[in-house]
Amino acid sequence: MTAQQPHASASDVVKIGVPVAIGAAVAIAIGVYGRLHDPTGFSVNIAGFGSPLGPKTWLTTVAFVLALVQVGSALVMYGKVRVAAPPWIGTLHRWSGRLAVLAAVPVAVHCLYALGLQTTTPRVLMHSLLGTFFFGAFVTKMLLLTRRGLPGWLLPVVGGLVFAALVGLWLTSALWVFTTIGIPA
C-alpha cells in the first residue's frame, strides 16, 4: 500500500508558475539587454571615489551585509533560531531586504550600461549570469509574497536562491576586488 501524494491543483500551478515565469522573463530580458546593448565603457562617478569601482564594490558589500541580516532575521522569524523573536523582527527583515536591493540596483545599472553582459573570463561570465538570476529571483520572491496558501517551504527556498545569488555576486565582484586590487577609495 502506498501513501497518496497530494496533487497540485491548476490554481496552485498558476499561483506559483506565473511569478516564476515573470521572474524568468525579467532575468532573460536583463541578460538579453546586457548582451545586445553596446557598452559605453564608462559611467557616472560618485564624488569622493577615485573610480566607479569604489562605489560598486562598497554598495555590493552593503547589499551582502544586509543579505546576511535578511537570513538571520528569517531564521528568527521561522523559529529556526531558538530566541524569542522581538516584535520588530519582521520590520527589520523587510527593510534590510529593501535596502539590500536599493544598494544593488545602482551597481546593476552601472554594470549593464557601462559593461553589458560579458563572457571574457569564467569569473566575469559567472558574475553576469548571477546578476541576471538575482534580479529574476528577486522579482519572483516579491510576486510570491502577495500569494496566499503557498507551501510553507516555497518562500524560504526562493529567498535562499536570492541570497545565494547575491553571495555569488559579492564573491565574484567585491571580494575579488578586495583580494586582487585592494580596498578601493
Side-chain angles (χ1 to χ4, degrees):
M1 184 181 269
T2 61
Q4 245 184 329
Q5 297 293 325
H7 296 287
S9 69
S11 68
D12 291 339
V13 171
V14 169
K15 245 190 309 195
I16 297 169
V18 169
V20 169
I22 292 170
V26 166
I28 290 167
I30 290 171
V32 167
Y33 172 80
R35 195 68 183 143
L36 297 179
H37 165 69
D38 195 17
T40 63
F42 66 92
S43 185
V44 177
N45 195 11
I46 297 176
F49 288 97
S51 74
L53 191 61
K56 284 174 54 178
T57 302
W58 289 113
L59 284 171
T60 304
T61 300
V62 166
F64 171 70
V65 169
L66 289 166
L68 293 174
V69 172
Q70 280 273 284
V71 169
S73 60
L75 290 172
V76 170
M77 286 185 340
Y78 283 102
K80 301 300 180 187
V81 175
R82 305 268 187 230
V83 297
W88 45 263
I89 196 72
T91 302
L92 174 67
H93 185 77
R94 283 187 300 279
W95 277 100
S96 61
R98 290 171 182 157
L99 292 172
V101 170
L102 188 63
V105 166
V107 176
V109 169
H110 173 273
C111 289
L112 282 171
Y113 180 72
L115 306 171
L117 191 146
Q118 294 189 7
T119 60
T120 54
T121 67
R123 179 193 64 82
V124 170
L125 173 61
M126 181 60 65
H127 182 75
S128 293
L129 295 175
L130 284 168
T132 61
F133 179 79
F134 170 77
F135 283 101
F138 174 76
V139 166
T140 299
K141 182 182 176 203
M142 292 301 102
L143 292 173
L144 287 171
L145 285 173
T146 65
R147 307 283 198 250
R148 299 290 172 234
L150 296 173
W153 56 266
L154 186 61
L155 283 176
V157 167
V158 175
L161 290 171
V162 171
F163 174 74
L166 188 55
V167 169
L169 284 167
W170 183 77
L171 291 170
T172 58
S173 62
L175 183 63
W176 180 84
V177 168
F178 291 144
T179 58
T180 60
I181 296 172
I183 296 177

